[in-house]
Amino acid sequence: MKVPRSLQIRRLGIVNYSDALKLQEKLVSDRKIHKISDTLLSLQHPPTYTLGKRRTDHNLLISEAELKKLGAELHYTQRGGDITFHGPHQAILYPIISLRDIGLGVRNYVEKLESTMIEIASLYGVKACPGQKGETGIWVGDRKIGAIGVRIQYGITSHGLAFNIDPDLNYFKHIVPCGIADKDVTSLRRETGIPLPAEDVIHEQLVSCFARQFGYDSLIWKDNVSILSDN
């Protein structure tokens, strides 16, 4: 008999990248010692560029001084993947889940993250698919609509996925997105060309797609949870 699995979702709104990183680190530690169950952070960031652990600074095409003029931050992280941009009108999911408990390897985990974004795109009639070899994330033709960058510690996940609802795509002109040159970045708004529902609705749909892909039976929603909250 299958054991029912629940997922706690924290809807956090717009969160500074440093605060979200600290929260993830704490939750990973808590999940490791079974203080919490599998948890999903649903949020957005203010304009932020992040680099993965390979430190591919050459894919940032402007100086840090110019970056500050844009009102954007730069953060170095321990996730996989290359440089990417996070900002308003982009749906971000950071899963803090135990891969060992659900019997998933890293590759299968990433594939399920890809399938999550493919499913949300399909709800709006957009046909997305994984990239070719060496191309991470989710693509619509040769245009990238979703990025993935993960970190695994003690079998516990952090970081995750970013799906473009309607971000300012001009921010992507200042980087080589995910280290892949000569490719464009797109959004759900650009690909549909039709009015979209409120972003909160799309965020909830993305969470539901994630839960289906990973086989969670029940969702426990927590709104406006303090970043420093233990529970």
Side-chain angles (χ1 to χ4, degrees):
M1 180 181 293
K2 179 185 176 185
V3 178
R5 294 172 52 233
S6 64
L7 178 69
Q8 184 181 116
I9 298 101
R10 297 190 183 194
R11 284 187 283 209
L12 300 176
I14 297 180
V15 179
N16 176 275
Y17 191 84
S18 294
D19 289 337
L21 192 59
K22 290 175 186 175
L23 178 60
Q24 289 180 79
E25 290 170 351
K26 182 182 185 308
L27 293 175
V28 166
S29 295
D30 288 348
R31 186 67 187 88
K32 179 188 174 186
I33 62 175
H34 305 287
K35 185 177 179 180
I36 61 171
S37 59
D38 284 351
T39 299
L40 183 66
L41 306 182
S42 175
L43 52 91
Q44 297 185 51
H45 289 306
T48 305
Y49 294 98
T50 68
L51 280 154
K53 57 188 177 184
R54 287 187 289 155
R55 297 292 190 269
T56 50
D57 297 71
H58 58 279
N59 286 326
L60 176 63
L61 305 179
I62 58 175
S63 68
E64 289 198 43
E66 292 173 299
L67 192 146
K68 288 180 181 177
K69 288 181 182 178
L70 291 175
E73 296 183 352
L74 176 65
H75 290 272
Y76 293 86
T77 77
Q78 291 300 311
R79 64 163 173 79
D82 211 296
I83 193 168
T84 194
F85 170 77
H86 296 308
H89 313 298
Q90 183 187 66
I92 293 173
L93 297 184
Y94 291 147
I96 314 296
I97 66 176
S98 171
L99 294 185
R100 293 172 184 168
D101 284 2
I102 57 178
L104 278 183
V106 176
R107 182 63 250 176
N108 286 339
Y109 171 63
V110 171
E111 288 172 352
K112 285 185 179 291
L113 293 181
E114 292 171 343
S115 296
T116 296
M117 291 192 284
I118 290 170
E119 182 178 342
I120 186 68
S122 71
L123 294 179
Y124 294 90
V126 176
K127 182 175 175 53
C129 62
Q132 303 298 315
K133 186 175 181 180
E135 296 178 347
T136 60
I138 292 302
W139 301 74
V140 181
D142 61 356
R143 303 174 300 282
K144 190 166 191 174
I145 195 170
I148 294 173
V150 303
R151 187 181 188 195
I152 315 291
Q153 301 166 271
Y154 324 111
I156 310 297
T157 66
S158 60
H159 297 273
L161 65 81
F163 182 76
N164 295 336
I165 300 174
D166 188 25
D168 182 349
L169 298 178
N170 286 318
Y171 280 102
F172 289 95
K173 295 178 181 178
H174 305 301
I175 60 174
V176 181
C178 299
I180 302 170
D182 303 320
K183 294 290 180 76
D184 200 4
V185 177
T186 190
S187 66
L188 191 62
R189 168 83 65 186
R190 175 174 285 188
E191 294 300 324
T192 57
I194 60 173
L196 296 173
E199 288 190 4
D200 284 351
V201 172
I202 300 175
H203 277 257
E204 287 189 18
Q205 290 173 330
L206 184 62
V207 168
S208 295
C209 292
F210 176 91
R212 275 193 295 274
Q213 291 295 330
F214 284 86
Y216 290 99
D217 303 286
S218 64
L219 305 182
I220 303 166
W221 296 85
K222 289 195 173 185
D223 293 327
N224 302 316
V225 179
S226 169
I227 285 294
L228 301 177
S229 173
D230 288 340
N231 300 309

Short mmCIF file of all heavy atoms in Angstrom, two decimals, residues 169-195:
data_model
loop_
_atom_site.label_atom_id
_atom_site.label_comp_id
_atom_site.label_asym_id
_atom_site.label_seq_id
_atom_site.Cartn_x
_atom_site.Cartn_y
_atom_site.Cartn_z
N LEU A 169 12.64 41.08 -20.06
CA LEU A 169 13.66 40.27 -20.73
C LEU A 169 14.92 41.05 -21.07
O LEU A 169 15.94 40.45 -21.43
CB LEU A 169 13.06 39.64 -21.99
CG LEU A 169 11.87 38.68 -21.76
CD1 LEU A 169 11.34 38.15 -23.09
CD2 LEU A 169 12.28 37.52 -20.85
N ASN A 170 14.87 42.36 -20.93
CA ASN A 170 16.07 43.15 -21.20
C ASN A 170 17.21 42.81 -20.24
O ASN A 170 18.38 42.95 -20.57
CB ASN A 170 15.76 44.65 -21.10
CG ASN A 170 14.96 45.15 -22.30
OD1 ASN A 170 15.25 44.78 -23.43
ND2 ASN A 170 13.96 45.97 -22.04
N TYR A 171 16.86 42.36 -19.03
CA TYR A 171 17.90 41.99 -18.07
C TYR A 171 18.76 40.85 -18.60
O TYR A 171 19.94 40.74 -18.25
CB TYR A 171 17.27 41.56 -16.75
CG TYR A 171 16.84 42.71 -15.87
CD1 TYR A 171 15.50 43.09 -15.78
CD2 TYR A 171 17.77 43.40 -15.10
CE1 TYR A 171 15.10 44.13 -14.94
CE2 TYR A 171 17.38 44.45 -14.27
CZ TYR A 171 16.04 44.81 -14.20
OH TYR A 171 15.65 45.83 -13.38
N PHE A 172 18.20 39.99 -19.43
CA PHE A 172 18.96 38.85 -19.94
C PHE A 172 19.99 39.26 -20.99
O PHE A 172 20.87 38.48 -21.33
CB PHE A 172 18.00 37.82 -20.54
CG PHE A 172 17.17 37.08 -19.52
CD1 PHE A 172 15.89 37.52 -19.20
CD2 PHE A 172 17.67 35.97 -18.86
CE1 PHE A 172 15.12 36.86 -18.25
CE2 PHE A 172 16.91 35.30 -17.91
CZ PHE A 172 15.64 35.75 -17.60
N LYS A 173 19.87 40.49 -21.51
CA LYS A 173 20.82 40.96 -22.52
C LYS A 173 22.21 41.21 -21.94
O LYS A 173 23.18 41.34 -22.69
CB LYS A 173 20.29 42.23 -23.18
CG LYS A 173 19.01 42.04 -23.98
CD LYS A 173 18.51 43.35 -24.58
CE LYS A 173 17.23 43.15 -25.36
NZ LYS A 173 16.72 44.45 -25.90
N HIS A 174 22.28 41.27 -20.62
CA HIS A 174 23.56 41.58 -19.97
C HIS A 174 24.33 40.34 -19.55
O HIS A 174 25.37 40.44 -18.90
CB HIS A 174 23.31 42.47 -18.76
CG HIS A 174 22.53 43.72 -19.08
ND1 HIS A 174 22.97 44.65 -20.00
CD2 HIS A 174 21.32 44.16 -18.64
CE1 HIS A 174 22.08 45.63 -20.09
NE2 HIS A 174 21.08 45.35 -19.28
N ILE A 175 23.83 39.17 -19.92
CA ILE A 175 24.50 37.91 -19.59
C ILE A 175 24.42 36.97 -20.79
O ILE A 175 23.69 37.22 -21.75
CB ILE A 175 23.86 37.22 -18.36
CG1 ILE A 175 22.38 36.89 -18.62
CG2 ILE A 175 24.01 38.09 -17.12
CD1 ILE A 175 21.71 36.07 -17.51
N VAL A 176 25.20 35.91 -20.72
CA VAL A 176 25.00 34.78 -21.63
C VAL A 176 24.18 33.77 -20.82
O VAL A 176 24.74 33.04 -20.00
CB VAL A 176 26.35 34.15 -22.08
CG1 VAL A 176 26.09 32.99 -23.03
CG2 VAL A 176 27.23 35.21 -22.73
N PRO A 177 22.86 33.79 -20.99
CA PRO A 177 22.00 33.01 -20.09
C PRO A 177 22.40 31.54 -20.03
O PRO A 177 22.46 30.87 -21.06
CB PRO A 177 20.60 33.19 -20.68
CG PRO A 177 20.69 34.46 -21.48
CD PRO A 177 22.09 34.48 -22.02
N CYS A 178 22.68 31.09 -18.81
CA CYS A 178 23.06 29.69 -18.58
C CYS A 178 24.27 29.27 -19.41
O CYS A 178 24.49 28.08 -19.67
CB CYS A 178 21.88 28.76 -18.82
SG CYS A 178 20.50 29.11 -17.71
N GLY A 179 25.06 30.27 -19.85
CA GLY A 179 26.28 29.97 -20.59
C GLY A 179 26.06 29.51 -22.02
O GLY A 179 26.98 29.00 -22.66
N ILE A 180 24.85 29.72 -22.55
CA ILE A 180 24.53 29.25 -23.90
C ILE A 180 24.38 30.47 -24.81
O ILE A 180 23.41 31.24 -24.70
CB ILE A 180 23.24 28.40 -23.91
CG1 ILE A 180 23.41 27.21 -22.95
CG2 ILE A 180 22.91 27.92 -25.32
CD1 ILE A 180 22.14 26.44 -22.70
N ALA A 181 25.34 30.68 -25.69
CA ALA A 181 25.34 31.85 -26.56
C ALA A 181 24.40 31.65 -27.75
O ALA A 181 24.02 30.53 -28.10
CB ALA A 181 26.76 32.11 -27.06
N ASP A 182 24.04 32.77 -28.37
CA ASP A 182 23.25 32.77 -29.60
C ASP A 182 21.86 32.15 -29.45
O ASP A 182 21.29 31.66 -30.42
CB ASP A 182 24.01 32.05 -30.73
CG ASP A 182 25.38 32.65 -30.98
OD1 ASP A 182 25.49 33.89 -30.93
OD2 ASP A 182 26.33 31.88 -31.19
N LYS A 183 21.34 32.16 -28.24
CA LYS A 183 19.97 31.69 -28.02
C LYS A 183 19.20 32.78 -27.30
O LYS A 183 19.75 33.55 -26.52
CB LYS A 183 19.96 30.40 -27.18
CG LYS A 183 20.59 29.19 -27.88
CD LYS A 183 19.74 28.71 -29.05
CE LYS A 183 20.35 27.52 -29.76
NZ LYS A 183 20.18 26.28 -29.00
N ASP A 184 17.91 32.83 -27.56
CA ASP A 184 17.06 33.88 -27.00
C ASP A 184 16.40 33.38 -25.71
O ASP A 184 16.38 32.18 -25.42
CB ASP A 184 15.99 34.27 -28.02
CG ASP A 184 15.38 35.63 -27.73
OD1 ASP A 184 15.85 36.30 -26.78
OD2 ASP A 184 14.44 36.02 -28.44
N VAL A 185 15.88 34.32 -24.95
CA VAL A 185 15.10 34.01 -23.76
C VAL A 185 13.68 34.50 -24.00
O VAL A 185 13.47 35.55 -24.60
CB VAL A 185 15.69 34.68 -22.51
CG1 VAL A 185 14.82 34.42 -21.29
CG2 VAL A 185 17.11 34.18 -22.26
N THR A 186 12.70 33.74 -23.54
CA THR A 186 11.31 34.10 -23.79
C THR A 186 10.51 33.99 -22.50
O THR A 186 11.07 33.72 -21.42
CB THR A 186 10.71 33.22 -24.90
OG1 THR A 186 9.43 33.75 -25.28
CG2 THR A 186 10.57 31.77 -24.47
N SER A 187 9.22 34.21 -22.60
CA SER A 187 8.34 34.17 -21.44
C SER A 187 6.98 33.63 -21.84
O SER A 187 6.65 33.56 -23.03
CB SER A 187 8.17 35.57 -20.85
OG SER A 187 7.48 36.41 -21.76
N LEU A 188 6.21 33.25 -20.85
CA LEU A 188 4.85 32.77 -21.13
C LEU A 188 4.03 33.85 -21.81
O LEU A 188 3.29 33.58 -22.76
CB LEU A 188 4.19 32.34 -19.81
CG LEU A 188 2.87 31.58 -19.92
CD1 LEU A 188 3.06 30.26 -20.67
CD2 LEU A 188 2.28 31.32 -18.54
N ARG A 189 4.17 35.08 -21.35
CA ARG A 189 3.44 36.20 -21.97
C ARG A 189 3.80 36.34 -23.44
O ARG A 189 2.91 36.47 -24.29
CB ARG A 189 3.76 37.49 -21.22
CG ARG A 189 3.30 38.76 -21.91
CD ARG A 189 1.86 39.06 -21.64
NE ARG A 189 1.63 39.35 -20.23
CZ ARG A 189 0.42 39.53 -19.71
NH1 ARG A 189 -0.63 39.43 -20.48
NH2 ARG A 189 0.28 39.79 -18.43
N ARG A 190 5.09 36.29 -23.75
CA ARG A 190 5.52 36.48 -25.13
C ARG A 190 5.05 35.33 -26.02
O ARG A 190 4.64 35.54 -27.16
CB ARG A 190 7.05 36.59 -25.19
CG ARG A 190 7.60 36.67 -26.61
CD ARG A 190 9.09 36.94 -26.62
NE ARG A 190 9.39 38.32 -26.29
CZ ARG A 190 10.60 38.87 -26.38
NH1 ARG A 190 11.63 38.12 -26.79
NH2 ARG A 190 10.81 40.12 -26.05
N GLU A 191 5.08 34.12 -25.48
CA GLU A 191 4.73 32.96 -26.31
C GLU A 191 3.23 32.80 -26.51
O GLU A 191 2.79 32.26 -27.52
CB GLU A 191 5.29 31.68 -25.68
CG GLU A 191 6.80 31.60 -25.67
CD GLU A 191 7.42 31.66 -27.07
OE1 GLU A 191 6.81 31.09 -28.01
OE2 GLU A 191 8.50 32.26 -27.22
N THR A 192 2.43 33.27 -25.58
CA THR A 192 0.98 33.12 -25.72
C THR A 192 0.35 34.28 -26.47
O THR A 192 -0.54 34.09 -27.29
CB THR A 192 0.30 33.00 -24.34
OG1 THR A 192 0.63 34.15 -23.56
CG2 THR A 192 0.75 31.75 -23.62
N GLY A 193 0.81 35.49 -26.15
CA GLY A 193 0.23 36.66 -26.79
C GLY A 193 -1.21 36.91 -26.36
O GLY A 193 -1.94 37.64 -27.04
N ILE A 194 -1.63 36.31 -25.26
CA ILE A 194 -2.99 36.49 -24.78
C ILE A 194 -2.92 36.95 -23.32
O ILE A 194 -1.92 36.76 -22.65
CB ILE A 194 -3.81 35.19 -24.87
CG1 ILE A 194 -3.16 34.08 -24.02
CG2 ILE A 194 -3.94 34.73 -26.32
CD1 ILE A 194 -3.99 32.82 -23.91
N PRO A 195 -4.01 37.58 -22.84
CA PRO A 195 -4.01 37.98 -21.42
C PRO A 195 -3.86 36.74 -20.53
O PRO A 195 -4.49 35.71 -20.75
CB PRO A 195 -5.39 38.63 -21.24
CG PRO A 195 -5.80 39.05 -22.61
CD PRO A 195 -5.23 38.03 -23.54
#
